[in-house]
Amino acid sequence: RLASMNRGEAAKRIARLCEEIERHNRLYYVLNAPAISDREYDRLYAELDNLEKQFPDLAAPDSPTRRVGGEPLKEFRSVRHRVPMMSLANTYSRGEISDFHARILKLAPGRQMSYIVEPKIDGLAIALRYESGRLALGCTRGDGTTGDDITANLRTIRSIPLRLAGAAPAVLEARGEVFMPRKGFLALNREREKNGLEPFANPRNAASGSLKLLDPREVNRRPLGAVFYGAGETSGIEFKTHGEMLDRFRALGLPTPPRRWKCRSLEDLFRALEELKEMRPALPFDIDGGVIKVDERDLYDLLGATAKSPRWAIAFKYEPERAETILKSISVQVGRTGVLTPVAELEPVFLSGSTINRATLHNAEEIQRKDIRVGDRVYLEKAGEVIPEITGVNVSARTGKERVFAMPEKCPVCGGDITRAEGEIAFRCENLQCPAQLKRWLRHFAARGAMDIEGLGEAIIDQLVDMKLVADPADLYTLTAAQIAGLERLAEKSAANIIGAIAASKKRDLWRLIFALGIRQVGNKMAQTLEMHFDDMDALASAGNERLEKIHDLGPVAAASIIDFFKAERNRRLIDRLKKAGLNCKSTPALRSAAASLAGKIYVLTGTLAGFSREEAEEQIRRRGGRTSGSVSAKTTALIAGADPGSKLDRARALGVPVIGEEELIKILGE
């Protein structure tokens, strides 16, 4: 029959098949009411695929067969949200729910109102932009202002319509969550373990990791779903209530939460949250609580928002699930700064959607405080529904055979000496050439916030250390393309790119190198401050305690750590080798100039700037000798307020601190 079809007949059949397949997608994913078998669905899909191959020019961009894109992406494009994507304030307390209700009544006196309660899905927040009914853009929330364009990946998810059903508005931005169903998660982990790959910790991590893949064809193999519960920018469509919005979403073919409750009182809210908690195990996906939203959308502007969250909604999070299992043994890991961390090796137990066999014990004092012994039956929870943590011991189950744990006297990786400084909790391996410590140090050195050596990831660093090609950061600058090309799964072009990235890092600002060295107590903000006070690395290395402690925000502990670092012979040799390799060890001249335009001035930023990211604005201020702070005080020179400023604006006005906008900031930076 296909071979005898003419072009006109094929066009009509293709259009009909697209319509039929999308209808069945809505029935299956949105209405949970499939009308045909999987085999019949596959037959329709195969017929459409064959027709489009025979008449390729008739295949529409939003055809069901075009869900999977072509070549993998090199990177995700950044997308600025036209309406900021805010996160919700969280609470575990019924008392705070009562306070939330009281605030709503106070802000909207005399208004009749109700609430909607819906599941808080434990996934990754996304936004879809539809223009005239067609999917134009899909992105992550990111920092709420800017996200990643992951349209190609989102198109692979069958529950996301490529074209809205019925009469579509000019613009609709639907916001929701991508998740991985528990059943799909378990199947995916079984497949990964079968292929010798590390299983995902939980469904949320699996969903998030899937959407970060650069190849949509790989994403297409992941069992992902989506639910939508909010709106961003819209044109040609309005919703009077949240419930009406969900109904309209559903009619347009967008999947919505499987259950919602309409509540008119606190008693209704608490009853709904309990009902949701009881049905939690029966849901196909993980939830970590319930979301309460004012139903009447015309109140949203009146109720307003804080810097991060709307005042018309709040998330009530359930206490984490608990499991009991046996602590078989305690192993010890070595971190980047040499800190030894004890880790519990557990009898595997299923908890909150994943199988747990390990949990951090933090430090020796924590083990002692909780009286945790090898062989104990221990209670396990997931902190924030993600990180396994031992919260207690079933003392009544002890037999007397349990063993008290003691930290090792030598490093378990390299056999080097272990020390514990006075006043510190941590035990440390002092051997900087310890393979475990070295790998983490090199990852830190090459990271984006430090020397930013693109392509030098964990797998490559592990091989460089294991093959004894690198023993400290200075060795990176002696590597050749031939050496790197000899590593597993690395082509010549990739090797050349890494060598180029290593060479480019030599020109980084001094503060990045200071931070990359991994000096204890010195984060990137402190490294920037140090660059402002010293001409070069030699001046910093020779600074005494008195000079260091005079620097704003640098206390005696950080000062002692800096002095100890540069006092060590091995660290002095490292600095000399980095200088000989050609790394920049001098501060930016403007930072050291007394005439720097912003010298001695302190600025605080709030809200969203149109022409700068927060980091870019702070960097420009710093380069002109100024400082930035996270909080407003009487010492603040000015508050720089962008769109949607938060509570810092109220604080500045109360203290009489000048408030300036982005235009004035640009003028200041240009002086």
Side-chain angles (χ1 to χ4, degrees):
R1 172 74 179 123
L2 291 182
S4 63
M5 271 192 187
N6 61 40
R7 182 180 175 79
E9 290 174 328
K12 289 179 182 178
R13 184 57 181 163
I14 285 173
R16 177 62 180 161
L17 285 168
C18 286
E19 185 180 321
E20 273 290 291
I21 291 171
E22 288 296 353
R23 184 174 73 85
H24 287 301
N25 280 341
R26 287 195 294 276
L27 286 169
Y28 186 92
Y29 294 109
V30 180
L31 302 178
N32 196 26
I36 60 175
S37 68
D38 289 349
R39 185 172 181 178
E40 288 174 294
Y41 179 93
D42 292 340
R43 182 183 61 77
L44 292 174
Y45 188 92
E47 183 183 350
L48 175 63
D49 190 39
N50 288 332
L51 268 174
E52 289 180 341
K53 286 175 180 174
Q54 189 174 344
F55 300 93
D57 58 316
L58 295 180
D62 55 3
S63 166
T65 64
R66 298 296 179 91
R67 284 190 173 273
V68 183
E71 292 302 310
L73 302 170
K74 292 184 178 179
E75 61 182 6
F76 294 121
R77 179 176 66 95
S78 292
V79 177
R80 194 173 187 84
H81 300 300
R82 302 192 186 193
V83 177
M85 284 186 74
M86 307 186 89
S87 55
L88 294 179
N90 293 324
T91 180
Y92 290 89
S93 163
R94 284 192 169 207
E96 290 186 5
I97 296 294
S98 299
D99 293 342
F100 166 77
H101 177 58
R103 284 195 301 272
I104 297 292
L105 296 177
K106 184 178 179 181
L107 289 168
R111 282 294 305 266
Q112 291 292 321
M113 68 182 69
S114 54
Y115 299 99
I116 295 290
V117 172
E118 59 195 29
K120 185 179 183 298
I121 298 161
D122 196 16
L124 183 76
I126 62 161
L128 300 180
R129 180 181 175 86
Y130 288 90
E131 296 176 355
S132 300
R134 295 177 184 270
L135 179 60
L137 174 69
C139 60
T140 63
R141 177 165 59 197
D143 62 5
T145 301
T146 304
D148 288 333
D149 180 349
I150 56 169
T151 309
N153 287 348
L154 293 175
R155 286 173 62 92
T156 70
I157 302 174
R158 292 287 180 90
S159 55
I160 291 177
L162 303 180
R163 186 189 310 173
L164 296 178
V171 176
L172 172 63
E173 184 188 328
R175 293 178 170 180
E177 211 91 7
V178 167
F179 62 87
M180 185 172 287
R182 294 193 195 101
K183 187 176 179 181
F185 168 76
L186 294 173
L188 177 63
N189 266 355
R190 282 195 296 269
E191 183 183 346
R192 289 178 67 83
E193 288 173 341
K194 182 180 176 182
N195 294 328
L197 299 173
E198 187 74 20
F200 287 108
N202 52 59
R204 187 190 187 283
N205 283 6
S208 177
S210 298
L211 290 182
K212 290 176 182 175
L213 294 171
L214 293 171
D215 189 347
R217 293 170 296 188
E218 289 296 319
V219 182
N220 188 50
R221 298 188 180 101
R222 302 288 173 87
L224 298 173
V227 168
F228 296 91
Y229 46 69
E233 183 184 13
T234 61
S235 175
I237 191 169
E238 293 183 357
F239 317 106
K240 290 183 179 179
T241 66
H242 182 66
E244 179 191 338
M245 184 199 73
L246 294 177
D247 290 339
R248 294 288 297 278
F249 275 13
R250 193 177 176 89
L252 290 167
L254 290 162
T256 56
R259 178 74 191 275
R260 70 178 191 256
W261 292 257
K262 186 159 184 172
C263 306
R264 300 188 182 279
S265 66
L266 267 179
E267 291 73 22
D268 288 348
L269 283 177
F270 294 141
R271 191 180 304 114
L273 290 168
E274 281 303 312
E275 288 182 18
L276 174 58
K277 185 177 181 180
E278 287 176 13
M279 68 182 292
R280 185 181 183 184
L283 292 170
F285 43 69
D286 280 357
I287 69 169
D288 55 1
V291 177
I292 301 167
K293 298 175 181 175
V294 171
D295 193 24
E296 292 74 18
R297 290 175 61 87
D298 65 328
L299 290 175
Y300 290 3
D301 286 341
L302 174 65
L303 297 174
T306 66
K308 294 182 179 179
S309 309
R311 290 195 176 95
W312 42 264
I314 192 170
F316 179 80
K317 300 190 78 170
Y318 300 128
E319 292 296 334
E321 293 180 35
R322 196 184 207 196
E324 184 176 327
T325 189
I326 297 171
L327 174 59
K328 298 191 297 182
S329 63
I330 296 176
S331 58
V332 178
Q333 293 182 338
V334 182
R336 173 180 65 82
T337 59
V339 172
L340 273 61
T341 302
V343 176
E345 306 293 343
L346 305 165
E347 190 71 36
V349 62
F350 193 78
L351 175 65
S352 298
S354 60
T355 300
I356 308 300
N357 50 30
R358 306 185 89 206
T360 179
L361 290 167
H362 302 293
N363 52 62
E365 281 196 7
E366 183 77 354
I367 295 173
Q368 188 176 8
R369 183 180 69 80
K370 293 179 178 177
D371 190 22
I372 297 172
R373 305 178 187 180
V374 175
D376 269 334
R377 295 196 67 87
V378 294
Y379 299 120
L380 195 67
E381 293 180 2
K382 276 190 178 179
E385 294 289 316
V386 176
I387 304 170
E389 181 178 5
I390 292 176
T391 57
V393 175
N394 184 351
V395 179
S396 63
R398 280 183 173 164
T399 64
K401 295 181 180 179
E402 295 77 18
R403 303 188 310 279
V404 175
F405 171 76
M407 289 293 284
E409 295 180 359
K410 296 287 184 179
C411 173
V413 176
C414 70
D417 291 337
I418 289 174
T419 61
R420 187 182 188 186
E422 187 177 348
E424 283 195 4
I425 294 174
F427 288 80
R428 297 178 188 272
C429 168
E430 291 299 326
N431 176 19
L432 282 178
Q433 276 67 50
C434 171
Q437 186 178 170
L438 175 58
K439 288 176 181 178
R440 289 176 175 84
W441 185 19
L442 290 171
R443 288 173 206 154
H444 170 76
F445 187 90
R448 181 173 296 181
M451 299 306 287
D452 193 12
I453 303 176
E454 189 174 351
L456 197 62
E458 181 176 344
I460 293 172
I461 287 173
D462 287 352
Q463 291 185 70
L464 289 172
V465 173
D466 292 343
M467 295 175 68
K468 298 189 177 356
L469 292 173
V470 174
D472 63 26
D475 284 341
L476 293 173
Y477 298 93
T478 67
L479 291 171
T480 65
Q483 287 175 312
I484 294 181
L487 302 180
E488 186 179 351
R489 296 179 182 176
L490 208 64
E492 288 185 12
K493 185 176 180 181
S494 298
N497 289 340
I498 292 172
I499 290 296
I502 291 172
S505 72
K506 296 178 182 181
K507 299 178 181 179
R508 303 279 185 253
D509 286 349
L510 175 60
W511 72 265
R512 287 182 174 273
L513 178 55
I514 295 171
F515 175 54
L517 290 173
I519 305 170
R520 290 178 217 161
Q521 308 293 329
V522 177
N524 57 3
K525 287 283 187 185
M526 180 55 66
Q528 291 171 20
T529 299
L530 290 170
E531 183 181 358
M532 291 174 63
H533 286 81
F534 295 95
D535 289 326
D536 52 33
M537 186 72 80
D538 289 339
L540 172 61
S542 61
N545 194 70
E546 186 177 349
R547 183 177 179 188
L548 287 169
E549 287 196 29
K550 285 180 180 178
I551 297 173
H552 182 76
D553 290 338
L554 199 157
V557 175
S561 180
I562 293 168
I563 291 170
D564 288 345
F565 180 87
F566 287 108
K567 189 187 295 180
E569 177 63 27
R570 60 175 174 267
N571 293 334
R572 290 200 300 272
R573 287 199 302 268
L574 172 65
I575 300 297
D576 286 341
R577 291 177 60 217
L578 290 171
K579 283 194 288 188
K580 289 176 182 176
L583 274 73
N584 172 44
C585 289
K586 295 185 179 296
S587 67
T588 304
L591 299 180
R592 301 288 302 133
S593 171
S597 59
L598 302 183
K601 296 182 178 180
I602 304 171
Y603 294 91
V604 175
L605 289 95
T606 185
T608 303
L609 301 176
F612 304 86
S613 68
R614 181 72 60 88
E615 293 75 16
E616 287 169 345
E618 289 179 347
E619 176 69 8
Q620 292 299 323
I621 290 169
R622 189 187 70 84
R623 282 185 168 275
R624 288 158 179 79
R627 290 198 301 113
T628 58
S629 174
S631 58
V632 179
S633 71
K635 295 180 180 179
T636 302
T637 303
L639 175 73
I640 302 165
D644 300 317
S647 58
K648 292 175 185 176
L649 181 60
D650 296 332
R651 173 74 173 162
R653 285 171 176 166
L655 293 174
V657 171
V659 178
I660 64 174
E662 187 167 356
E663 287 187 10
E664 194 165 348
L665 170 63
I666 293 170
K667 289 179 182 177
I668 290 172
L669 296 177
E671 291 175 355

